[in-house]
Amino acid sequence: MILPILYSLFNIGTVVCIVVVNKTVFQVAGFQFPTLLVGIHCGITHIGLRVAALLGAFERRKFPKRALIVLALSFIGYNVASLANLALNTVGFYQISKIMATPTTMALESVWLGKKFPRDMRYAVGVMCVGVGLATVTDVQATWIGGLIAIVAAMGAAQSYIFIGKTQHDLGASSNQLLVAYTPYCFVFLMLLSPLDTLLPKKNPNIADNAMIWIMERMTFTKSLLVIFSGCIGLLVSLSTFLLIKETSPLTYNIVGHAKTICILVSGDSTSLEIILVVHFTLAAFP
């Protein structure tokens, strides 16, 4: 019983930290390239875990390439959409939209895995969906593009959580073993997809059009350290996510996410009283 609690606290702390750091990367450093940033996270995660393996922290294993590629694509879809959601929306709306990952996870688990959920839980999720809808119309800074990306991010999150749990179970792998094995695939795919970042709408006209311009004209030592620090926190987020899902379930991971929502909204930008009230209404659905 103690491990799920410790992993939950670990995950809450790292996720709250990375949301604040990534928003700073986007707004202060002007590095508004979510696909490239996720790629940097994957590279740092792989390097960090390889060092840990060399030091004897865990033993590396080989896994079927097909399983690793599927997991990598699942991870990429979720994280790129999630960072795009954070880049285009306020922290408040970003967190509210992430709550929708819970009903999406339930729906996908019902379809893919044949799971059944109690009627009370289904009613609670219905109330939660109403709360998210109220948050959407309350946040005057929300745009239809930001809302669309938020929906894609919620769906991506749900399928990613399910794939993580299923892959770890099927392969009998530890969190570290799976992370160090599939992050190289993530890194390669993300570098190939990174030019798509230029298609994102720029909310600030001073944002560089592409990463090369940012490196040549905007990068400073402090800004580069901030990007690297974001990658280091990303390693801890990935590790805590794998640990928590393996010890519990994808749905439990989503429920723990509601605590992260409250923590981040308290420290978030542009979080109005209306949004706070909507969060209480939304989360009141869960006892």
Side-chain angles (χ1 to χ4, degrees):
M1 186 62 186
I2 189 67
L3 282 179
I5 295 175
L6 291 177
Y7 292 157
S8 297
L9 293 175
F10 182 26
N11 185 251
I12 290 170
T14 55
V15 169
V16 170
C17 183
I18 200 169
V19 168
V20 175
V21 171
N22 282 345
K23 199 64 178 179
T24 304
V25 169
F26 291 141
Q27 293 184 339
V28 178
F31 191 86
Q32 202 165 82
F33 311 106
T35 307
L36 182 58
L37 185 59
V38 178
I40 293 171
H41 285 190
C42 290
I44 292 176
T45 296
H46 181 73
I47 293 170
L49 290 176
R50 289 209 52 171
V51 171
L54 289 173
L55 294 175
F58 66 95
E59 183 179 351
R60 294 181 64 189
R61 285 177 53 192
K62 290 187 177 181
F63 301 105
K65 287 185 178 181
R66 181 176 179 181
L68 296 178
I69 290 174
V70 170
L71 188 61
L73 293 175
S74 170
F75 170 88
I76 289 169
Y78 157 51
N79 279 274
V80 171
S82 181
L83 276 181
N85 185 12
L86 181 60
L88 297 177
N89 296 308
T90 63
V91 170
F93 183 77
Y94 166 77
Q95 284 303 127
I96 289 292
S97 66
K98 285 188 70 175
I99 296 176
M100 287 302 293
T102 298
T104 308
T105 299
M106 291 176 63
L108 291 181
E109 284 191 310
S110 296
V111 174
W112 289 350
L113 306 179
K115 283 192 175 182
K116 304 293 182 182
F117 298 96
R119 180 180 298 178
D120 291 347
M121 183 174 289
R122 296 199 300 269
Y123 286 155
V125 169
V127 173
M128 186 177 63
C129 292
V130 172
V132 174
L134 290 174
T136 304
V137 299
T138 303
D139 192 340
V140 295
Q141 298 188 50
T143 64
W144 71 269
I145 296 178
L148 180 62
I149 291 203
I151 293 173
V152 173
M155 296 181 65
Q159 58 82 28
S160 181
Y161 302 153
I162 293 171
F163 269 119
I164 287 174
K166 189 174 186 305
T167 304
Q168 286 191 101
H169 179 269
D170 292 347
L171 299 179
S174 71
S175 304
N176 290 334
Q177 289 172 335
L178 204 53
L179 273 170
V180 76
Y182 92 99
T183 43
Y185 295 95
C186 294
F187 179 80
V188 172
F189 292 150
L190 287 163
M191 291 301 103
L192 293 175
L193 293 172
S194 61
L196 295 176
D197 286 333
T198 59
L199 301 179
L200 286 175
K202 299 291 187 296
K203 298 177 70 174
N204 186 340
N206 294 322
I207 296 294
D209 290 333
N210 57 64
M212 287 304 300
I213 293 177
W214 184 87
I215 292 172
M216 298 296 295
E217 300 179 2
R218 313 288 173 84
M219 186 177 73
T220 64
F221 179 72
T222 302
K223 290 179 179 179
S224 60
L225 280 183
L226 187 60
V227 173
I228 294 172
F229 179 64
S230 171
C232 294
I233 301 298
L235 187 161
L236 299 179
V237 171
S238 296
L239 182 59
S240 66
T241 299
F242 274 67
L243 289 170
L244 182 56
I245 291 177
K246 185 176 183 180
E247 194 67 28
T248 57
S249 70
L251 186 58
T252 300
Y253 175 83
N254 274 289
I255 301 300
V256 170
H258 300 334
K260 293 177 280 188
T261 296
I262 295 174
C263 293
I264 292 171
L265 284 175
V266 168
S267 61
D269 65 324
S270 307
T271 304
S272 64
L273 175 62
E274 290 85 354
I275 288 290
I276 295 294
L277 292 176
V278 166
V279 171
H280 283 294
F281 171 79
T282 303
L283 299 186
F286 289 92

